[in-house]
Amino acid sequence: MERVRTRFAPSPTGRMHVGNLRTALYAYLIAKHEGGDFLLRIEDTDQERFVEGALEIIYRTLERAGLAHDEGPDKDGGYGPYVQSERQKKGIYLEYAKQLIEKGEAYYCFCDKERLESLKQVVAGKEISIYDKHCLHISKEEVQAKLDAGVPYVIRQNVPNEGTTKFEDDIYGTIEVPNAELDDMILIKSDGFPTYNFANVVDDHLMEISHVVRGNEYLSSAPKYNRLYDAFGWKVPVYVHCPLITDENHKKLSKRSGHSSYEDLLEQGFLSEAIVNYVALLGWCPPDNREIFSLEELVEAFDYHHMSKSPAVFDINKLKWMNGEYLKAMDPEKFYEMALPYIRQAITRELDFRKIAEMVRTRIEVFPDIPALIDFFEAVPKYDVSMYTHKKMKTTQESSLTVLKEVLPLLEAQEDYSNDALYALLLDYAKEHGYKNGYVMWPIRTAASGKQMTPAGATEIMEILGRDETVARLKAAIEKLER
């Protein structure tokens, strides 16, 4: 059996889209599942779209996602160069394009912009341009004369007008296309650079890529690719086309969604491991419907034959849930280090930040949730006294005032402000007066926090606030209720 070799071939055009991250991940998983090689190749043939710093983003994203490449521009495995512009300078693409011309599978095209414009037509409301093979019929002598005169040219693929081209896709099955629908696509552009499609075929063959993973928007190009493989007499790789990723409204996931790139998601407080885990499930489902996977577990479990044809919906709420699961399972020390900057956003006083971090750990989905949960530790927010009325706890403003007035001297006299000691004190008080626990705790928690929802109970909050601050807050609450 041949060695499995896959590649991720991004263009350096900015932040990495979630769809590109999934392509990289699936290519990595297919290779590693079989103990094969995962290559990084940079597709910079479209020089106009090149973005400064985008190369660094590619390296950084793959590193943070844990997708270590075995070969690439920084790791020569004997198949380099791994950057298309460097390969173009060596004349690789032109050499292979000329081989196709010799075989009659490609031809020089000297048509100028005006002539190409005249070929445009509107079909079903869309403007399309189908080349009419005008230059295919130029004699060899005329072609040579134009080349010698320096007339600008492109090299086009020669696709027959009759018959069909079919190919096998491991996800979508057999796809057959009438040749009449296939344009004579450009292989070498007038600037000497190859087109994306042609460079891919040549590079995948020369780098011995066994499985090509890409988005299903390339399904329609696959017959043209196969004609190139056949023309060269090369073995066609296994195609694995991934389903479209849409937003919640079933539209293609775009930058406008605010979470279309890996870096967007990191900035929104998501963990890299959770993003990778979630992206793996956008189009693939294990037989047992399990959802939480480490990267190592994905390598073990991933079988691309279980990929779906249907579009995958990027559900940000599902990702938040998954991220929350990762936070709950995180090492407490690591969680504390990552949570600390967010805690400091909300609290400037010196409190026990470790206890606060543990308090919020099971109650957040992303780190930016933290400040709004704990800001009351800094100061009690403005709140309405109607909060003291709680149907389930059977409390009213009057009963709350009574409880607060009765527990205030107990809390002023209390020396031990640990959670356990405070809890025991208040339980004794409730028992003595024949009150239910919630009847006592609700008004105290409201007075201490000014919030209906808190990440912890009354005594845990008081432990962190300490005696002086707790007493001051209860006195302020009594005053508020007496107005």
Side-chain angles (χ1 to χ4, degrees), residues 122-164:
V122 177
V123 177
K126 277 189 177 179
E127 190 177 65
I128 61 164
S129 179
I130 295 176
Y131 188 64
D132 58 359
K133 293 183 181 287
H134 174 75
C135 291
L136 175 63
H137 310 294
I138 299 174
S139 68
K140 272 190 174 179
E141 295 72 28
E142 198 181 335
V143 166
Q144 196 54 53
K146 285 180 182 288
L147 292 175
D148 293 342
V151 178
Y153 68 86
V154 299
I155 297 177
R156 288 182 181 273
Q157 183 179 13
N158 182 18
V159 179
N161 291 331
E162 303 80 37
T164 62

mmCIF file of all heavy atoms in Angstrom, residues 122-164:
data_model
loop_
_atom_site.group_PDB
_atom_site.id
_atom_site.type_symbol
_atom_site.label_atom_id
_atom_site.label_comp_id
_atom_site.label_asym_id
_atom_site.label_seq_id
_atom_site.Cartn_x
_atom_site.Cartn_y
_atom_site.Cartn_z
ATOM 1 N N VAL A 122 -24.794 36.441 -21.712
ATOM 2 C CA VAL A 122 -25.615 36.323 -20.492
ATOM 3 C C VAL A 122 -26.484 35.079 -20.611
ATOM 4 O O VAL A 122 -27.246 34.923 -21.568
ATOM 5 C CB VAL A 122 -26.485 37.580 -20.274
ATOM 6 C CG1 VAL A 122 -27.389 37.401 -19.055
ATOM 7 C CG2 VAL A 122 -25.599 38.804 -20.096
ATOM 8 N N VAL A 123 -26.316 34.178 -19.635
ATOM 9 C CA VAL A 123 -27.121 32.954 -19.585
ATOM 10 C C VAL A 123 -27.833 32.912 -18.238
ATOM 11 O O VAL A 123 -27.186 32.967 -17.188
ATOM 12 C CB VAL A 123 -26.230 31.687 -19.760
ATOM 13 C CG1 VAL A 123 -27.074 30.428 -19.633
ATOM 14 C CG2 VAL A 123 -25.519 31.730 -21.103
ATOM 15 N N ALA A 124 -29.170 32.831 -18.268
ATOM 16 C CA ALA A 124 -29.998 32.787 -17.045
ATOM 17 C C ALA A 124 -29.636 33.935 -16.095
ATOM 18 O O ALA A 124 -29.524 33.764 -14.882
ATOM 19 C CB ALA A 124 -29.838 31.443 -16.343
ATOM 20 N N GLY A 125 -29.452 35.112 -16.687
ATOM 21 C CA GLY A 125 -29.197 36.309 -15.872
ATOM 22 C C GLY A 125 -27.767 36.452 -15.397
ATOM 23 O O GLY A 125 -27.421 37.420 -14.728
ATOM 24 N N LYS A 126 -26.898 35.496 -15.751
ATOM 25 C CA LYS A 126 -25.489 35.559 -15.327
ATOM 26 C C LYS A 126 -24.590 35.752 -16.543
ATOM 27 O O LYS A 126 -24.799 35.129 -17.588
ATOM 28 C CB LYS A 126 -25.085 34.262 -14.613
ATOM 29 C CG LYS A 126 -25.459 34.228 -13.152
ATOM 30 C CD LYS A 126 -24.821 33.006 -12.490
ATOM 31 C CE LYS A 126 -25.122 33.000 -10.987
ATOM 32 N NZ LYS A 126 -24.539 31.830 -10.324
ATOM 33 N N GLU A 127 -23.593 36.630 -16.365
ATOM 34 C CA GLU A 127 -22.642 36.859 -17.448
ATOM 35 C C GLU A 127 -21.567 35.765 -17.401
ATOM 36 O O GLU A 127 -20.918 35.580 -16.379
ATOM 37 C CB GLU A 127 -21.991 38.234 -17.298
ATOM 38 C CG GLU A 127 -21.173 38.623 -18.517
ATOM 39 C CD GLU A 127 -20.575 40.017 -18.402
ATOM 40 O OE1 GLU A 127 -19.724 40.224 -17.515
ATOM 41 O OE2 GLU A 127 -20.970 40.885 -19.197
ATOM 42 N N ILE A 128 -21.422 35.029 -18.503
ATOM 43 C CA ILE A 128 -20.383 33.989 -18.537
ATOM 44 C C ILE A 128 -19.529 34.183 -19.791
ATOM 45 O O ILE A 128 -19.955 34.815 -20.759
ATOM 46 C CB ILE A 128 -20.978 32.555 -18.525
ATOM 47 C CG1 ILE A 128 -21.875 32.319 -19.741
ATOM 48 C CG2 ILE A 128 -21.712 32.274 -17.237
ATOM 49 C CD1 ILE A 128 -22.168 30.861 -20.003
ATOM 50 N N SER A 129 -18.332 33.633 -19.736
ATOM 51 C CA SER A 129 -17.441 33.735 -20.888
ATOM 52 C C SER A 129 -16.931 32.342 -21.230
ATOM 53 O O SER A 129 -16.314 31.685 -20.397
ATOM 54 C CB SER A 129 -16.266 34.664 -20.540
ATOM 55 O OG SER A 129 -15.404 34.756 -21.633
ATOM 56 N N ILE A 130 -17.248 31.876 -22.429
ATOM 57 C CA ILE A 130 -16.764 30.557 -22.865
ATOM 58 C C ILE A 130 -15.828 30.791 -24.054
ATOM 59 O O ILE A 130 -16.220 31.379 -25.063
ATOM 60 C CB ILE A 130 -17.937 29.625 -23.255
ATOM 61 C CG1 ILE A 130 -18.788 29.342 -22.018
ATOM 62 C CG2 ILE A 130 -17.407 28.318 -23.863
ATOM 63 C CD1 ILE A 130 -20.019 28.519 -22.256
ATOM 64 N N TYR A 131 -14.605 30.345 -23.890
ATOM 65 C CA TYR A 131 -13.624 30.567 -24.955
ATOM 66 C C TYR A 131 -13.942 29.672 -26.158
ATOM 67 O O TYR A 131 -14.348 28.514 -25.997
ATOM 68 C CB TYR A 131 -12.207 30.308 -24.434
ATOM 69 C CG TYR A 131 -11.161 30.713 -25.438
ATOM 70 C CD1 TYR A 131 -11.034 32.046 -25.819
ATOM 71 C CD2 TYR A 131 -10.350 29.765 -26.058
ATOM 72 C CE1 TYR A 131 -10.104 32.427 -26.770
ATOM 73 C CE2 TYR A 131 -9.420 30.136 -27.017
ATOM 74 C CZ TYR A 131 -9.306 31.466 -27.371
ATOM 75 O OH TYR A 131 -8.403 31.847 -28.337
ATOM 76 N N ASP A 132 -13.748 30.237 -27.371
ATOM 77 C CA ASP A 132 -14.197 29.549 -28.599
ATOM 78 C C ASP A 132 -13.076 28.811 -29.342
ATOM 79 O O ASP A 132 -13.228 28.484 -30.527
ATOM 80 C CB ASP A 132 -14.842 30.569 -29.545
ATOM 81 C CG ASP A 132 -13.878 31.699 -29.913
ATOM 82 O OD1 ASP A 132 -12.727 31.683 -29.415
ATOM 83 O OD2 ASP A 132 -14.267 32.591 -30.693
ATOM 84 N N LYS A 133 -11.967 28.534 -28.661
ATOM 85 C CA LYS A 133 -10.837 27.780 -29.230
ATOM 86 C C LYS A 133 -10.211 28.471 -30.455
ATOM 87 O O LYS A 133 -9.550 27.827 -31.285
ATOM 88 C CB LYS A 133 -11.267 26.351 -29.630
ATOM 89 C CG LYS A 133 -11.632 25.450 -28.447
ATOM 90 C CD LYS A 133 -11.966 24.042 -28.917
ATOM 91 C CE LYS A 133 -12.351 23.131 -27.762
ATOM 92 N NZ LYS A 133 -11.225 22.734 -26.906
ATOM 93 N N HIS A 134 -10.387 29.765 -30.576
ATOM 94 C CA HIS A 134 -9.884 30.534 -31.720
ATOM 95 C C HIS A 134 -8.395 30.249 -31.972
ATOM 96 O O HIS A 134 -7.979 29.994 -33.105
ATOM 97 C CB HIS A 134 -10.108 32.033 -31.454
ATOM 98 C CG HIS A 134 -9.509 32.932 -32.471
ATOM 99 N ND1 HIS A 134 -10.048 33.104 -33.727
ATOM 100 C CD2 HIS A 134 -8.379 33.708 -32.440
ATOM 101 C CE1 HIS A 134 -9.302 33.949 -34.412
ATOM 102 N NE2 HIS A 134 -8.281 34.336 -33.658
ATOM 103 N N CYS A 135 -7.590 30.271 -30.914
ATOM 104 C CA CYS A 135 -6.130 30.140 -31.082
ATOM 105 C C CYS A 135 -5.656 28.690 -31.256
ATOM 106 O O CYS A 135 -4.496 28.457 -31.568
ATOM 107 C CB CYS A 135 -5.391 30.786 -29.917
ATOM 108 S SG CYS A 135 -5.537 32.589 -29.907
ATOM 109 N N LEU A 136 -6.557 27.749 -31.039
ATOM 110 C CA LEU A 136 -6.186 26.334 -31.199
ATOM 111 C C LEU A 136 -5.786 26.057 -32.649
ATOM 112 O O LEU A 136 -4.981 25.183 -32.930
ATOM 113 C CB LEU A 136 -7.373 25.443 -30.777
ATOM 114 C CG LEU A 136 -7.210 23.935 -30.980
ATOM 115 C CD1 LEU A 136 -6.064 23.388 -30.118
ATOM 116 C CD2 LEU A 136 -8.514 23.198 -30.619
ATOM 117 N N HIS A 137 -6.379 26.819 -33.561
ATOM 118 C CA HIS A 137 -6.207 26.532 -34.992
ATOM 119 C C HIS A 137 -5.071 27.332 -35.634
ATOM 120 O O HIS A 137 -4.900 27.293 -36.854
ATOM 121 C CB HIS A 137 -7.533 26.785 -35.724
ATOM 122 C CG HIS A 137 -8.690 26.096 -35.049
ATOM 123 N ND1 HIS A 137 -8.794 24.725 -34.996
ATOM 124 C CD2 HIS A 137 -9.755 26.582 -34.357
ATOM 125 C CE1 HIS A 137 -9.881 24.393 -34.313
ATOM 126 N NE2 HIS A 137 -10.485 25.504 -33.914
ATOM 127 N N ILE A 138 -4.304 28.080 -34.830
ATOM 128 C CA ILE A 138 -3.166 28.825 -35.386
ATOM 129 C C ILE A 138 -2.043 27.833 -35.711
ATOM 130 O O ILE A 138 -1.767 26.915 -34.922
ATOM 131 C CB ILE A 138 -2.661 29.890 -34.372
ATOM 132 C CG1 ILE A 138 -3.772 30.903 -34.071
ATOM 133 C CG2 ILE A 138 -1.426 30.600 -34.877
ATOM 134 C CD1 ILE A 138 -3.417 31.898 -32.981
ATOM 135 N N SER A 139 -1.399 28.030 -36.839
ATOM 136 C CA SER A 139 -0.326 27.105 -37.250
ATOM 137 C C SER A 139 0.882 27.234 -36.322
ATOM 138 O O SER A 139 1.073 28.260 -35.664
ATOM 139 C CB SER A 139 0.110 27.417 -38.679
ATOM 140 O OG SER A 139 0.768 28.687 -38.710
ATOM 141 N N LYS A 140 1.698 26.187 -36.274
ATOM 142 C CA LYS A 140 2.904 26.173 -35.441
ATOM 143 C C LYS A 140 3.820 27.344 -35.791
ATOM 144 O O LYS A 140 4.427 27.971 -34.921
ATOM 145 C CB LYS A 140 3.667 24.852 -35.621
ATOM 146 C CG LYS A 140 3.205 23.750 -34.686
ATOM 147 C CD LYS A 140 4.159 22.575 -34.741
ATOM 148 C CE LYS A 140 3.751 21.532 -33.689
ATOM 149 N NZ LYS A 140 4.632 20.358 -33.708
ATOM 150 N N GLU A 141 3.920 27.635 -37.100
ATOM 151 C CA GLU A 141 4.805 28.710 -37.564
ATOM 152 C C GLU A 141 4.320 30.063 -37.038
ATOM 153 O O GLU A 141 5.110 30.887 -36.583
ATOM 154 C CB GLU A 141 4.855 28.750 -39.105
ATOM 155 C CG GLU A 141 5.479 27.526 -39.767
ATOM 156 C CD GLU A 141 4.597 26.274 -39.705
ATOM 157 O OE1 GLU A 141 3.336 26.438 -39.650
ATOM 158 O OE2 GLU A 141 5.153 25.166 -39.662
ATOM 159 N N GLU A 142 3.000 30.262 -37.126
ATOM 160 C CA GLU A 142 2.427 31.542 -36.664
ATOM 161 C C GLU A 142 2.609 31.687 -35.154
ATOM 162 O O GLU A 142 2.917 32.765 -34.646
ATOM 163 C CB GLU A 142 0.933 31.592 -37.031
ATOM 164 C CG GLU A 142 0.376 33.008 -37.001
ATOM 165 C CD GLU A 142 -1.117 33.075 -37.350
ATOM 166 O OE1 GLU A 142 -1.612 32.157 -38.060
ATOM 167 O OE2 GLU A 142 -1.759 34.022 -36.892
ATOM 168 N N VAL A 143 2.416 30.575 -34.439
ATOM 169 C CA VAL A 143 2.615 30.590 -32.974
ATOM 170 C C VAL A 143 4.050 31.005 -32.666
ATOM 171 O O VAL A 143 4.304 31.891 -31.842
ATOM 172 C CB VAL A 143 2.321 29.198 -32.356
ATOM 173 C CG1 VAL A 143 2.853 29.120 -30.927
ATOM 174 C CG2 VAL A 143 0.832 28.906 -32.363
ATOM 175 N N GLN A 144 5.012 30.396 -33.342
ATOM 176 C CA GLN A 144 6.424 30.688 -33.090
ATOM 177 C C GLN A 144 6.745 32.149 -33.396
ATOM 178 O O GLN A 144 7.490 32.810 -32.653
ATOM 179 C CB GLN A 144 7.318 29.757 -33.925
ATOM 180 C CG GLN A 144 8.773 29.724 -33.446
ATOM 181 C CD GLN A 144 8.907 29.373 -31.963
ATOM 182 O OE1 GLN A 144 8.380 28.363 -31.504
ATOM 183 N NE2 GLN A 144 9.581 30.236 -31.205
ATOM 184 N N ALA A 145 6.156 32.651 -34.488
ATOM 185 C CA ALA A 145 6.397 34.050 -34.885
ATOM 186 C C ALA A 145 5.891 35.002 -33.801
ATOM 187 O O ALA A 145 6.544 35.991 -33.444
ATOM 188 C CB ALA A 145 5.711 34.333 -36.223
ATOM 189 N N LYS A 146 4.719 34.700 -33.263
ATOM 190 C CA LYS A 146 4.136 35.556 -32.202
ATOM 191 C C LYS A 146 4.996 35.487 -30.923
ATOM 192 O O LYS A 146 5.216 36.481 -30.249
ATOM 193 C CB LYS A 146 2.697 35.130 -31.896
ATOM 194 C CG LYS A 146 1.678 35.559 -32.950
ATOM 195 C CD LYS A 146 0.283 35.110 -32.567
ATOM 196 C CE LYS A 146 -0.751 35.466 -33.621
ATOM 197 N NZ LYS A 146 -1.044 36.913 -33.683
ATOM 198 N N LEU A 147 5.480 34.262 -30.599
ATOM 199 C CA LEU A 147 6.334 34.101 -29.419
ATOM 200 C C LEU A 147 7.635 34.883 -29.599
ATOM 201 O O LEU A 147 8.083 35.586 -28.691
ATOM 202 C CB LEU A 147 6.643 32.619 -29.172
ATOM 203 C CG LEU A 147 5.476 31.731 -28.728
ATOM 204 C CD1 LEU A 147 5.930 30.273 -28.640
ATOM 205 C CD2 LEU A 147 4.915 32.169 -27.368
ATOM 206 N N ASP A 148 8.207 34.785 -30.796
ATOM 207 C CA ASP A 148 9.457 35.497 -31.086
ATOM 208 C C ASP A 148 9.262 37.010 -31.023
ATOM 209 O O ASP A 148 10.172 37.748 -30.620
ATOM 210 C CB ASP A 148 10.004 35.106 -32.480
ATOM 211 C CG ASP A 148 10.446 33.634 -32.526
ATOM 212 O OD1 ASP A 148 10.650 33.049 -31.431
ATOM 213 O OD2 ASP A 148 10.570 33.078 -33.636
ATOM 214 N N ALA A 149 8.064 37.456 -31.409
ATOM 215 C CA ALA A 149 7.777 38.904 -31.414
ATOM 216 C C ALA A 149 7.408 39.417 -30.015
ATOM 217 O O ALA A 149 7.190 40.622 -29.819
ATOM 218 C CB ALA A 149 6.648 39.188 -32.395
ATOM 219 N N GLY A 150 7.304 38.500 -29.051
ATOM 220 C CA GLY A 150 6.998 38.904 -27.668
ATOM 221 C C GLY A 150 5.529 39.246 -27.449
ATOM 222 O O GLY A 150 5.177 40.018 -26.546
ATOM 223 N N VAL A 151 4.638 38.683 -28.297
ATOM 224 C CA VAL A 151 3.194 38.927 -28.114
ATOM 225 C C VAL A 151 2.749 38.229 -26.819
ATOM 226 O O VAL A 151 3.050 37.049 -26.611
ATOM 227 C CB VAL A 151 2.384 38.371 -29.322
ATOM 228 C CG1 VAL A 151 0.885 38.570 -29.107
ATOM 229 C CG2 VAL A 151 2.831 39.034 -30.619
ATOM 230 N N PRO A 152 2.033 38.958 -25.928
ATOM 231 C CA PRO A 152 1.589 38.343 -24.659
ATOM 232 C C PRO A 152 0.687 37.138 -24.930
ATOM 233 O O PRO A 152 -0.102 37.138 -25.880
ATOM 234 C CB PRO A 152 0.799 39.455 -23.960
ATOM 235 C CG PRO A 152 1.246 40.720 -24.608
ATOM 236 C CD PRO A 152 1.605 40.363 -26.015
ATOM 237 N N TYR A 153 0.812 36.115 -24.098
ATOM 238 C CA TYR A 153 0.009 34.909 -24.304
ATOM 239 C C TYR A 153 -0.366 34.277 -22.962
ATOM 240 O O TYR A 153 0.228 34.569 -21.921
ATOM 241 C CB TYR A 153 0.773 33.877 -25.149
ATOM 242 C CG TYR A 153 1.983 33.286 -24.438
ATOM 243 C CD1 TYR A 153 1.856 32.175 -23.592
ATOM 244 C CD2 TYR A 153 3.257 33.852 -24.586
ATOM 245 C CE1 TYR A 153 2.947 31.635 -22.924
ATOM 246 C CE2 TYR A 153 4.363 33.325 -23.928
ATOM 247 C CZ TYR A 153 4.207 32.221 -23.098
ATOM 248 O OH TYR A 153 5.279 31.699 -22.429
ATOM 249 N N VAL A 154 -1.370 33.392 -23.042
ATOM 250 C CA VAL A 154 -1.667 32.473 -21.932
ATOM 251 C C VAL A 154 -1.613 31.071 -22.551
ATOM 252 O O VAL A 154 -1.618 30.934 -23.777
ATOM 253 C CB VAL A 154 -3.053 32.731 -21.299
ATOM 254 C CG1 VAL A 154 -3.147 34.127 -20.721
ATOM 255 C CG2 VAL A 154 -4.183 32.466 -22.285
ATOM 256 N N ILE A 155 -1.526 30.061 -21.695
ATOM 257 C CA ILE A 155 -1.623 28.683 -22.194
ATOM 258 C C ILE A 155 -2.920 28.094 -21.672
ATOM 259 O O ILE A 155 -3.198 28.169 -20.464
ATOM 260 C CB ILE A 155 -0.407 27.834 -21.759
ATOM 261 C CG1 ILE A 155 0.877 28.403 -22.373
ATOM 262 C CG2 ILE A 155 -0.595 26.362 -22.174
ATOM 263 C CD1 ILE A 155 2.159 27.678 -21.955
ATOM 264 N N ARG A 156 -3.728 27.550 -22.599
ATOM 265 C CA ARG A 156 -5.045 27.007 -22.235
ATOM 266 C C ARG A 156 -5.071 25.482 -22.366
ATOM 267 O O ARG A 156 -4.397 24.911 -23.221
ATOM 268 C CB ARG A 156 -6.137 27.574 -23.152
ATOM 269 C CG ARG A 156 -6.482 29.022 -22.926
ATOM 270 C CD ARG A 156 -7.602 29.460 -23.854
ATOM 271 N NE ARG A 156 -7.937 30.861 -23.662
ATOM 272 C CZ ARG A 156 -8.810 31.314 -22.766
ATOM 273 N NH1 ARG A 156 -9.456 30.447 -21.987
ATOM 274 N NH2 ARG A 156 -9.046 32.599 -22.650
ATOM 275 N N GLN A 157 -5.916 24.878 -21.546
ATOM 276 C CA GLN A 157 -6.168 23.440 -21.659
ATOM 277 C C GLN A 157 -7.076 23.199 -22.866
ATOM 278 O O GLN A 157 -8.001 23.976 -23.122
ATOM 279 C CB GLN A 157 -6.853 22.950 -20.378
ATOM 280 C CG GLN A 157 -7.112 21.455 -20.332
ATOM 281 C CD GLN A 157 -7.764 21.018 -19.025
ATOM 282 O OE1 GLN A 157 -8.238 21.842 -18.251
ATOM 283 N NE2 GLN A 157 -7.784 19.729 -18.765
ATOM 284 N N ASN A 158 -6.825 22.152 -23.592
ATOM 285 C CA ASN A 158 -7.656 21.822 -24.755
ATOM 286 C C ASN A 158 -8.654 20.725 -24.365
ATOM 287 O O ASN A 158 -8.303 19.549 -24.299
ATOM 288 C CB ASN A 158 -6.757 21.352 -25.914
ATOM 289 C CG ASN A 158 -7.557 21.042 -27.170
ATOM 290 O OD1 ASN A 158 -8.706 21.467 -27.307
ATOM 291 N ND2 ASN A 158 -6.943 20.311 -28.100
ATOM 292 N N VAL A 159 -9.878 21.134 -24.097
ATOM 293 C CA VAL A 159 -10.921 20.176 -23.704
ATOM 294 C C VAL A 159 -11.812 19.904 -24.914
ATOM 295 O O VAL A 159 -12.314 20.843 -25.535
ATOM 296 C CB VAL A 159 -11.791 20.734 -22.537
ATOM 297 C CG1 VAL A 159 -12.884 19.737 -22.152
ATOM 298 C CG2 VAL A 159 -10.933 21.058 -21.329
ATOM 299 N N PRO A 160 -12.029 18.636 -25.286
ATOM 300 C CA PRO A 160 -12.885 18.351 -26.447
ATOM 301 C C PRO A 160 -14.334 18.801 -26.201
ATOM 302 O O PRO A 160 -14.792 18.829 -25.064
ATOM 303 C CB PRO A 160 -12.807 16.828 -26.582
ATOM 304 C CG PRO A 160 -12.362 16.322 -25.251
ATOM 305 C CD PRO A 160 -11.526 17.414 -24.644
ATOM 306 N N ASN A 161 -15.014 19.150 -27.271
ATOM 307 C CA ASN A 161 -16.404 19.605 -27.143
ATOM 308 C C ASN A 161 -17.365 18.431 -27.002
ATOM 309 O O ASN A 161 -18.482 18.577 -26.523
ATOM 310 C CB ASN A 161 -16.817 20.438 -28.368
ATOM 311 C CG ASN A 161 -16.094 21.777 -28.391
ATOM 312 O OD1 ASN A 161 -15.752 22.300 -27.330
ATOM 313 N ND2 ASN A 161 -15.853 22.311 -29.579
ATOM 314 N N GLU A 162 -16.938 17.253 -27.453
ATOM 315 C CA GLU A 162 -17.825 16.082 -27.402
ATOM 316 C C GLU A 162 -17.455 15.186 -26.214
ATOM 317 O O GLU A 162 -16.385 15.293 -25.635
ATOM 318 C CB GLU A 162 -17.709 15.235 -28.685
ATOM 319 C CG GLU A 162 -18.002 15.963 -29.976
ATOM 320 C CD GLU A 162 -16.848 16.793 -30.466
ATOM 321 O OE1 GLU A 162 -15.699 16.348 -30.308
ATOM 322 O OE2 GLU A 162 -17.103 17.913 -30.958
ATOM 323 N N GLY A 163 -18.385 14.288 -25.912
ATOM 324 C CA GLY A 163 -18.125 13.280 -24.880
ATOM 325 C C GLY A 163 -18.302 13.811 -23.462
ATOM 326 O O GLY A 163 -18.797 14.930 -23.255
ATOM 327 N N THR A 164 -17.907 12.999 -22.508
ATOM 328 C CA THR A 164 -18.044 13.371 -21.090
ATOM 329 C C THR A 164 -16.745 13.069 -20.351
ATOM 330 O O THR A 164 -15.915 12.301 -20.821
ATOM 331 C CB THR A 164 -19.176 12.569 -20.397
ATOM 332 O OG1 THR A 164 -18.832 11.176 -20.438
ATOM 333 C CG2 THR A 164 -20.527 12.792 -21.034
#
